[in-house]
Amino acid sequence: MFVPRPHLCTLLRREQRRLQLLCAPPGFGKTQLLRHYLEPATNVVWLTLGGQPQTLQTCSAKLAEALGLSLQSSPEALLAWIERAGTLHLVFDDVPASMPAELNLWFDRLLALANPRLQVLVTCRRRPDWNLARLVLMGQLLELDARQLALRREESDALVSLLAPDSDTIIRQQLWQATAGWCAGLRLLLPAFVTQTYRPEQPHAVLVQYLERELLARLTEDQQQVLFGLAHLSKASAELCEQLWEGQGGARVFTQLNDCQALLIPLEHQPQWSCLIPAVAQALQERLPAAPLNRLRLRACQALSALGHLDDAIEQALRAEQPEVAASYMEGLWLTWILREQHLGRLMTWRERMAPHLLESSPRLIYLSAKALLFSGRLDEAQACLQQLSRFLPLPNPRRNQRLLANWQALFGTLHALRGDSEQARLHCQAACRHLNREDWLSILLCHCMLARDAMHRGELTEAQALLEQSLELARRQGSREAEVLVNSDRARLMMLQGHAHQAQSLLHSELEHMAGTRTVACPLRGRLLLQQAELSVQQGRLGEAEQRVHEGLVQVGDCCAPFVLSAYLLLAQIAAHGQAFDQAQLHLDEAERRMHWARIDRACYQRPIAEHRQRVQRLEREASAQRPESRSSVPDYQDGLTPREVSVLKLLAEGMSVREVGSRLFISVNTVKTHAKNINVKLGACRRTQAINSAKAMGILA
């Protein structure tokens, strides 16, 4: 099954070059793309080489047969015939990784023929050893690699919709993150995701078989060993590989793996660095035995630290069971690091794997832990962590002592704000700002943001705007994109309060566009922006769009950012209540409370907003009940014997939801939804879903 790639077909048609070269790993849809592109074309000659070794004679014989010429035609005669042929599209599908010199020379002569209507189209897994530089200079080469051929997010979702129409948003996001646009991986893993049998910690049998045949069989033993090691690294470069496998020529092997398209993908914004597609890495991890794996991790944490990649070094040190080494590396993390991607979740995971005394061994580690706990909503633990700073007081240097106290006040102000004590929060943040200096710019920024939120709560919008403008300038002068996103999130909130919904929407859209570079990486800040977009959509009555944004945001924020998770479920409850699905709204609030308990979140962070939303849902339900026509007031709500849950299921099915989406919305299994649907059909005397929906509408069960 092929998903149309109109942007690629348009590119191929627009750029009519002598050579159109599609060079990418197996499973990126190279062959299918060319077939789709050439469908309307005439005079197409297709030669499948299957990646198998070729000589000039064997290749010439295959081409002669495809052209309908004598099998005894010499290579020179073929070139002469092609030069006179006029319009001709020659396709060489799956060209082998290496070819003899005389065959490469023949291809160079083919590409240099005078026939202006000759086009050569090639798919391969390794860039051929032809005179491509000459074609580039002449403007006669169009080359597409894995970056261009990878599925876009919307194309990935479209393929999932074709293959598994009942798949929900979460499955689509998980597949996208696991496969990074790799078409073959998506198709191989989709059944396991749909049946919920995929386990990242276990190799997927079908995927392993595919990799054995399409990748490992083409690699040397040295290349395989390095590849198995790369499966345990979040990223790699030639320089890193040289240090890890210096006796085996690690840099050379890494370059070979990239050249032969071993499913390594370049990292956004990190030149020279690549990583294995996540699903491929997971499938290969068991190939490296325990002893060499542990040695690799110890070398990796040292090398990564030396290269400045501390978060990866920390992870390798912990996996090598060296928590003291991990703690020493954590000292070098910038405090803005916690705002990026899923770093908050990573830090909270590290905390679970390290002894408390290691995380309390310096003021810097205490600051880092306290910020993580505050952002995660674990306020009591954050307070206990902050109290550990007293062990370092007083410092012998008065200036450093004052800075330590000021940073403590900044964090303590944040703690009071999250507990709802705005007066104490304001006092601590204002006092902290008087003594913090440029080195503490992040603490200043957080204080300003807290003070701005307090001002918005009090209705002092002019004061809030001034504070946020100062914060924005500070973030920009420090060159921190993450801090700028954090401030702009609050600015969008202020615009909404000022009644400037269009400006808020434009700002949120702009920030999401800027963050599009890390498209396969989940990011809580992106999740926060998506949830704000959802809130705007609710205000404007676009409930379907709002619900989609909420689910996208939930995938981004993960489990550690409790305040964002809470906002998501409160929005889902609000959307359900607007649609008069009041029992469903209450279920969302129940789930919000469950998630807060599960994450050990302080009651102050969630109790009041959940209670307020429950009251709002109940009020809306009473108002809706009062507005029902009196003629129906004497008739039971479920006059046809449908239970309240069956009515909820029927309403969602009537909205066009799939069985899986209904289950996800109501927090019940797919089988339970199917059972409810079967009971509904029996009770309403229907054979199909559409009949049940029409009957329910006629009976007044559905509006």
Side-chain angles (χ1 to χ4, degrees):
M1 191 173 292
F2 176 68
V3 174
R5 314 289 303 279
H7 68 287
L8 292 179
C9 287
T10 300
L11 176 63
L12 291 170
R13 292 190 184 103
R14 186 179 68 242
E15 306 291 340
Q16 290 291 315
R17 311 293 175 85
R18 167 56 56 90
L19 174 60
Q20 294 187 323
L21 180 66
L22 278 60
C23 183
F28 272 81
K30 302 182 291 294
T31 301
Q32 288 298 325
L33 174 61
L34 283 190
R35 289 192 186 282
H36 184 67
Y37 159 62
L38 292 169
E39 271 179 3
T42 57
N43 298 322
V44 176
V45 175
W46 193 287
L47 196 64
T48 300
L49 301 180
Q52 299 301 312
Q54 302 290 326
T55 64
L56 178 58
Q57 289 69 32
T58 58
C59 189
S60 297
K62 291 178 181 178
L63 180 57
E65 183 179 12
L67 291 170
L69 303 176
S70 168
L71 295 180
Q72 281 71 43
S73 300
S74 69
E76 289 74 18
L78 287 174
L79 291 174
W81 188 94
I82 293 169
E83 190 161 34
R84 299 189 304 268
T87 301
L88 182 62
H89 301 279
L90 272 181
V91 181
F92 294 91
D93 189 25
D94 201 4
V95 168
S98 60
M99 293 184 288
E102 60 176 354
L103 182 53
N104 283 324
L105 179 60
W106 184 88
F107 270 104
D108 282 334
R109 294 174 62 191
L110 170 69
L111 295 168
L113 291 177
N115 183 351
R117 290 179 290 175
L118 169 66
Q119 187 179 55
V120 179
L121 304 103
V122 172
T123 73
C124 57
R125 303 184 187 186
R126 183 174 183 176
R127 215 164 181 254
D129 189 18
W130 302 337
N131 192 359
L132 299 180
R134 174 179 170 276
L135 293 173
V136 171
L137 289 172
M138 296 176 62
Q140 289 299 317
L141 173 65
L142 173 65
E143 187 171 2
L144 302 181
D145 60 19
R147 287 171 293 184
Q148 289 86 37
L149 294 171
L151 295 173
R152 294 177 172 181
R153 174 61 195 269
E154 61 271 19
E155 293 169 338
S156 174
D157 287 349
L159 181 56
V160 175
S161 296
L162 286 171
L163 297 171
D166 290 337
S167 301
D168 57 27
T169 304
I170 294 176
I171 284 179
R172 295 176 189 191
Q173 176 69 21
Q174 290 173 338
L175 272 167
W176 170 248
Q177 292 177 352
T179 59
W182 180 37
C183 182
L186 186 150
R187 297 200 58 173
L188 290 170
L189 295 178
L190 179 59
F193 273 88
V194 170
T195 58
Q196 300 181 1
T197 57
Y198 180 74
R199 298 290 180 270
E201 66 278 4
Q202 299 174 354
H204 187 264
V206 177
L207 178 58
V208 170
Q209 292 171 6
Y210 179 88
L211 294 174
E212 285 277 6
R213 184 180 66 255
E214 299 292 339
L215 175 61
L216 299 180
R218 300 170 183 244
L219 301 180
T220 66
E221 185 175 345
D222 281 350
Q223 290 170 345
Q224 288 186 18
Q225 290 306 308
V226 171
L227 189 69
F228 298 154
L230 295 180
H232 294 272
L233 301 176
S234 60
K235 58 188 177 187
S237 67
E239 184 179 4
L240 175 64
C241 289
E242 186 62 26
Q243 295 184 49
L244 299 183
W245 293 282
E246 56 183 340
Q248 298 170 255
R252 173 182 53 79
V253 176
F254 179 75
T255 302
Q256 291 171 350
L257 289 172
N258 274 296
D259 288 345
C260 69
Q261 302 289 347
L263 294 167
L264 287 159
I265 53 176
L267 295 184
E268 300 276 358
H269 312 303
Q270 295 190 49
Q272 313 305 319
W273 289 82
S274 305
C275 70
L276 277 173
I277 292 171
V280 175
Q282 291 161 1
L284 297 178
Q285 283 180 350
E286 286 196 352
R287 298 302 185 93
L288 197 62
L293 173 58
N294 201 55
R295 290 194 296 271
L296 174 69
R297 284 174 170 160
L298 289 172
R299 289 198 299 271
C301 69
Q302 295 169 358
L304 287 164
S305 172
L307 292 170
H309 298 271
L310 293 180
D311 47 349
D312 297 289
I314 293 164
E315 186 63 39
Q316 292 299 327
L318 287 172
R319 292 187 178 185
E321 299 182 355
Q322 298 291 325
E324 296 83 1
V325 175
S328 69
Y329 291 152
M330 287 174 68
E331 288 275 2
L333 290 174
W334 289 94
L335 294 178
T336 50
W337 172 87
I338 203 172
L339 300 177
R340 300 174 192 160
E341 299 173 2
Q342 286 283 13
H343 289 177
L344 176 57
R346 180 179 283 191
L347 180 54
M348 296 303 290
T349 301
W350 290 345
R351 283 181 51 82
E352 300 295 330
R353 296 159 65 184
M354 298 175 70
H357 73 273
L358 293 174
L359 296 167
E360 298 165 358
S361 58
S362 73
R364 189 176 186 85
L365 288 178
I366 291 174
Y367 289 147
L368 193 65
S369 293
K371 278 189 170 70
L373 290 165
L374 287 171
F375 290 165
S376 300
R378 290 159 65 166
L379 307 187
D380 288 341
E381 292 176 69
Q383 182 171 352
C385 184
L386 284 172
Q387 288 171 350
Q388 297 301 317
L389 283 174
S390 62
R391 296 189 292 108
F392 299 92
L393 291 169
L395 292 176
N397 184 312
R399 182 173 172 273
R400 290 182 60 198
N401 198 66
Q402 189 178 63
R403 280 187 62 203
L404 182 62
L405 286 170
N407 277 284
W408 174 86
Q409 281 196 294
L411 291 175
F412 220 70
T414 305
L415 177 65
H416 280 299
L418 292 173
R419 282 187 168 154
D421 190 344
S422 58
E423 184 176 352
Q424 284 296 314
R426 193 160 55 250
L427 289 173
H428 279 289
C429 286
Q430 289 171 344
C433 288
R434 286 194 290 268
H435 299 290
L436 293 168
N437 59 30
R438 288 185 179 181
E439 296 173 76
D440 307 307
W441 69 270
L442 183 57
S443 291
I444 296 173
L445 184 142
L446 291 176
C447 283
H448 282 181
C449 287
M450 284 297 169
L451 290 169
R453 291 171 199 170
D454 177 66
M456 283 188 269
H457 183 71
R458 292 184 283 109
E460 299 290 342
L461 303 188
T462 303
E463 179 185 342
Q465 185 164 346
L467 285 163
L468 290 176
E469 286 173 357
Q470 293 175 40
S471 301
L472 187 62
E473 180 181 353
L474 183 59
R476 286 172 174 170
R477 287 187 180 277
Q478 294 295 327
S480 173
R481 192 72 191 88
E482 296 79 16
E484 188 176 345
V485 173
L486 189 67
V487 175
N488 277 333
S489 173
D490 283 336
R491 289 181 64 224
R493 168 73 56 204
L494 177 61
M495 291 172 184
M496 292 162 69
L497 292 173
Q498 292 170 326
H500 303 150
H502 180 70
Q503 291 181 23
Q505 184 68 43
S506 297
L507 178 60
L508 293 171
H509 178 75
S510 175
E511 286 299 325
L512 285 166
E513 284 292 306
H514 281 305
M515 299 182 75
T518 54
R519 56 183 186 168
T520 62
V521 182
C523 175
L525 281 179
R526 189 192 294 127
R528 180 175 184 173
L529 298 174
L530 287 166
L531 294 177
Q532 286 185 280
Q533 277 193 333
E535 189 175 348
L536 272 171
S537 298
V538 169
Q539 292 178 4
Q540 296 164 359
R542 303 195 304 271
L543 300 185
E545 178 184 310
E547 186 171 10
Q548 180 181 347
R549 291 288 180 271
V550 173
H551 285 297
E552 290 173 0
L554 265 174
V555 171
Q556 294 294 323
V557 301
D559 291 325
C560 62
C561 297
F564 299 168
V565 172
L566 177 64
S567 297
Y569 282 101
L570 294 181
L571 275 169
L572 287 174
Q574 190 176 350
I575 293 166
H578 276 297
Q580 297 196 3
F582 301 111
D583 55 342
Q584 183 182 330
Q586 294 291 358
L587 284 171
H588 284 311
L589 295 175
D590 290 343
E591 177 63 10
E593 195 167 43
R594 186 190 74 81
R595 294 286 291 266
M596 297 299 101
H597 293 166
W598 178 78
R600 295 178 284 169
I601 307 306
D602 192 287
R603 285 179 175 274
C605 293
Y606 67 86
Q607 200 166 38
R608 182 176 176 180
I610 289 179
E612 289 175 348
H613 274 72
R614 286 197 191 281
Q615 292 171 3
R616 190 176 297 123
V617 170
Q618 291 166 0
R619 186 183 73 249
L620 290 172
E621 188 171 14
R622 288 195 298 270
E623 291 172 357
S625 179
Q627 292 173 2
R628 290 176 185 162
E630 290 185 10
S631 59
R632 290 188 186 175
S633 61
S634 59
V635 181
D637 285 343
Y638 309 107
Q639 56 184 359
D640 305 282
L642 297 185
T643 66
R645 177 47 62 90
E646 288 168 351
V647 171
S648 298
V649 169
L650 184 58
K651 285 180 178 178
L652 296 178
L653 292 173
E655 292 176 11
M657 287 191 182
S658 68
V659 168
R660 182 168 293 279
E661 287 171 330
V662 172
S664 177
R665 179 74 70 84
L666 298 180
F667 305 103
I668 56 179
S669 69
V670 170
N671 288 335
T672 302
V673 176
K674 290 179 179 178
T675 300
H676 285 314
K678 189 180 297 182
N679 292 339
I680 291 168
N681 287 346
V682 171
K683 291 179 180 180
L684 298 184
C687 298
R688 294 187 302 276
R689 180 187 302 180
T690 52
Q691 288 181 333
I693 292 169
N694 291 334
S695 297
K697 287 179 178 178
M699 296 173 182
I701 298 172
L702 297 178

